[in-house]
Amino acid sequence: MEERAAGAAAGIRVGSPTGRWVILTTVLGSSMAMLDSTVINVALPRIGEDLGTDLAALQWTVNAYMLTLAGLILLGGALGDRFGRRRVFVVGVVWFALASLLCGIAPDAAVLIAARALQGVGGALLTPGSLALIQASFHPDDRARAVGLWSGFGGVGAAVGPFVGGWLVDGPGWRWVFLINLPVAAVCVPVALRHVPESRDPHAHGRFDVLGAALGAFALALVTYALIAAPGRGASPAVIGSAVGGVLLGVAFVQVERRRADPMLPPSVFASRQFTAVNIVTLCVYAALGGYFFLSAIQLQVVAGYSALGAGTALLPTTVLMLLFSARSGELGQRIGPRIPLTVGPVIAATGMLLMLRVGPGSNTVSGYLTDVLPAVAVLGVGLVTLVAPLTATVLASVDTARAGLASGINNAAARAAGLIAVAALPLLAGMGPEAYRDAGEFASTFRRAMPMCAGLLVLGALIAYATVRTPPKGVRDTARPECTVNCGVIAPPLETAPQGAHRAQGQ
């Protein structure tokens, strides 16, 4: 019965009323996660001022969300395969909305951080379900078009995210950055329940790898705590114990995944040297990007004197370039192979980050923006256009078609984890004190130390790509192109992927 229902769902056409409802639902759901990813950095200085927090609390405001999302996203995809992709997607949207409400009314930093962690759980449920619903619902001939429409609308939402976030922070207040998710969810849920067909993977079996997910999440949490707490507490027993405990849990995670019959992260997928190499490049690239966007939004406001709206608008050219040219970059990567884009792109992006060193007092004037900020964000955008779509395409092309969804999910988790560690580690490495973001002079000096570190990570990624990446044999994964459109590269990591089940849905 379920297989017949899934087969009927997989015959939907984009131009049909049901097809349009599916596109609307998935765009609304993914936009919630996308919007929070693109606006939170702009709101950080105002959150810190309003709640009286130090830099560590601001780091946790970003990282609590990324921690639970990175740790649970693969499990979220598996839940959708087993219990129904629409059902898990709707649960994720409701969960995300309730957590957003808690963020919006949080009386202090501790409640906000806890609510952000809950948001990440909701994101881990709805994020993989967004693309999985499209892959499972549409006729094979219409899937590429459906993904393109979903990516395009999602890209527009991401592009206006910093602008909307800045307007909200300067207008009704930073709490509305989270509360705006409530009306979106109020529209998304009833539309999904009424118009989106349910689908499952009839072949999904075995136990969920809850132990693996828990070990991975706790390992990341302990390492993150050690990195964030170190500037204030030094080499205290708590810091050292957390770091050692995180490493030990990481080792235990690897051992558990090797021995389980149905692991969340199958070690066999790393038998592909190219897949392993490209994920290492992903770690370098998204660690650099995570640190850059976390620090640059604060630099623009605290040091350069931009308002929240001004800072969001100032960073907009990077996103606009991604929106306009990522699809063409993916096509170019297919023609010339991934090695050149994955080598040249990070170097160009690193140049953009180094140009951010020009940003300082006086950069908030028109002439200051044109000479200091715009060249940096434009060059960074060119670098990201060059590398992000080919990076995602190469991940998918590095494994056989049956594992494309899993490969995409692993790459997504790697990108999230890289940004998580970067946001935790960069202030420590750059020597930022707990109150650095309140002092323009101190933050500016540490920002000048942090940007070369981010640029260095990008150059390291370029060198690894040049040494290891090769053009995959034709026919290995020729269908990667539809998934490497705009949404794969709008500032944030490739948000909407289908970690466990999309590859099975493609064959329905």
Side-chain angles (χ1 to χ4, degrees):
M1 185 73 175
E2 290 179 0
E3 292 189 36
R4 286 199 301 272
I12 294 173
R13 293 289 186 171
V14 169
S16 68
T18 301
R20 289 192 287 268
W21 284 119
V22 172
I23 294 293
L24 174 64
T25 302
T26 54
V27 167
L28 288 174
S30 61
S31 293
M32 293 172 60
M34 177 70 76
L35 197 63
D36 268 43
S37 297
T38 56
V39 305
I40 186 62
N41 290 333
V42 175
L44 288 175
R46 199 66 58 85
I47 291 173
E49 179 183 343
D50 189 32
L51 298 182
T53 64
D54 58 11
L55 181 63
L58 298 186
Q59 289 172 275
W60 276 115
T61 301
V62 175
N63 277 351
Y65 176 80
M66 291 197 291
L67 176 64
T68 50
L69 180 58
L72 300 176
I73 191 168
L74 291 173
L75 185 60
L79 288 171
D81 289 347
R82 178 76 65 83
F83 297 115
R85 299 180 179 107
R86 185 189 66 179
R87 177 184 298 174
V88 173
F89 174 81
V90 168
V91 171
V93 170
V94 173
W95 187 305
F96 195 93
L98 293 176
S100 298
L101 175 62
L102 186 56
C103 289
I105 63 174
D108 53 44
V111 175
L112 177 60
I113 291 167
R116 286 284 287 167
L118 291 174
Q119 259 194 326
V121 177
L125 297 175
L126 75 88
T127 295
S130 180
L131 183 55
L133 282 173
I134 290 179
Q135 296 282 27
S137 299
F138 285 97
H139 189 280
D141 294 342
D142 279 12
R143 283 177 189 156
R145 184 183 173 198
V147 172
L149 288 170
W150 165 79
S151 298
F153 286 120
V156 170
V160 302
F163 178 83
V164 172
W167 177 79
L168 290 171
V169 171
D170 286 339
W174 63 265
R175 297 179 184 276
W176 282 94
V177 169
F178 304 108
L179 296 177
I180 197 174
N181 291 324
L182 300 180
V184 177
V187 174
C188 182
V189 171
V191 170
L193 293 175
R194 181 175 178 84
H195 297 287
V196 177
E198 183 61 282
S199 65
R200 294 176 176 83
D201 179 6
H203 305 293
H205 64 281
R207 296 181 179 179
F208 293 112
D209 188 8
V210 177
L211 177 59
L215 287 173
F218 281 117
L220 283 173
L222 289 175
V223 171
T224 301
Y225 171 81
L227 291 171
I228 292 177
R233 299 193 177 189
S236 66
V239 170
I240 295 175
S242 296
V244 173
V247 172
L248 292 177
L249 286 180
V251 172
F253 169 76
V254 173
Q255 295 301 318
V256 166
E257 296 305 282
R258 283 180 175 177
R259 295 174 182 175
R260 290 186 70 91
D262 294 296
M264 178 182 73
L265 186 65
S268 60
V269 75
F270 293 99
S272 167
R273 293 180 60 187
Q274 179 127 311
F275 179 77
T276 303
V278 174
N279 275 286
I280 294 174
V281 174
T282 297
L283 290 172
C284 294
V285 168
Y286 284 107
L289 292 178
Y292 166 81
F293 284 110
F294 174 71
L295 297 177
S296 61
I298 301 176
Q299 173 79 358
L300 286 170
Q301 294 178 72
V302 173
V303 178
Y306 280 81
S307 64
L309 175 59
T313 306
L315 297 172
L316 199 57
T318 300
T319 311
V320 172
L321 287 170
M322 296 294 299
L323 178 64
L324 294 177
F325 300 111
S326 281
R328 295 181 184 179
S329 174
E331 294 171 358
L332 177 63
Q334 282 198 324
R335 288 200 301 269
I336 67 175
R339 190 184 189 192
I340 293 176
L342 296 188
T343 301
V344 174
V347 174
I348 297 174
T351 303
M353 289 187 181
L354 292 177
L355 287 174
M356 280 295 292
L357 295 174
R358 297 168 54 89
V359 176
S363 295
N364 61 338
T365 63
V366 173
S367 61
Y369 178 76
L370 294 176
T371 58
D372 298 342
V373 182
L374 183 59
V377 297
V379 172
L380 176 65
V382 171
L384 295 184
V385 165
T386 304
L387 77 94
V388 172
L391 179 67
T392 308
T394 307
V395 167
L396 296 175
S398 299
V399 298
D400 57 60
T401 303
R403 285 189 151 187
L406 175 64
S408 180
I410 291 172
N411 187 249
N412 194 319
R416 298 288 186 174
L420 169 74
I421 296 300
V423 170
L426 266 179
L428 171 64
L429 297 175
M432 291 185 184
E435 303 297 323
Y437 81 97
R438 300 180 187 275
D439 186 305
E442 181 182 353
F443 192 88
S445 63
T446 53
F447 182 81
R448 286 193 292 270
R449 292 194 289 269
M451 282 303 99
M453 297 178 191
C454 293
L457 282 170
L458 286 168
V459 173
L460 176 61
L463 293 174
I464 294 171
Y466 180 78
T468 61
V469 173
R470 298 294 182 267
T471 301
K474 289 185 178 181
V476 172
R477 176 60 176 157
D478 228 17
T479 57
R481 184 168 42 197
E483 294 177 72
C484 300
T485 48
V486 176
N487 228 27
C488 293
V490 184
I491 295 181
L495 286 176
E496 280 70 32
T497 52
Q500 293 281 353
H503 57 291
R504 300 187 185 106
Q506 290 170 351
Q508 288 178 345

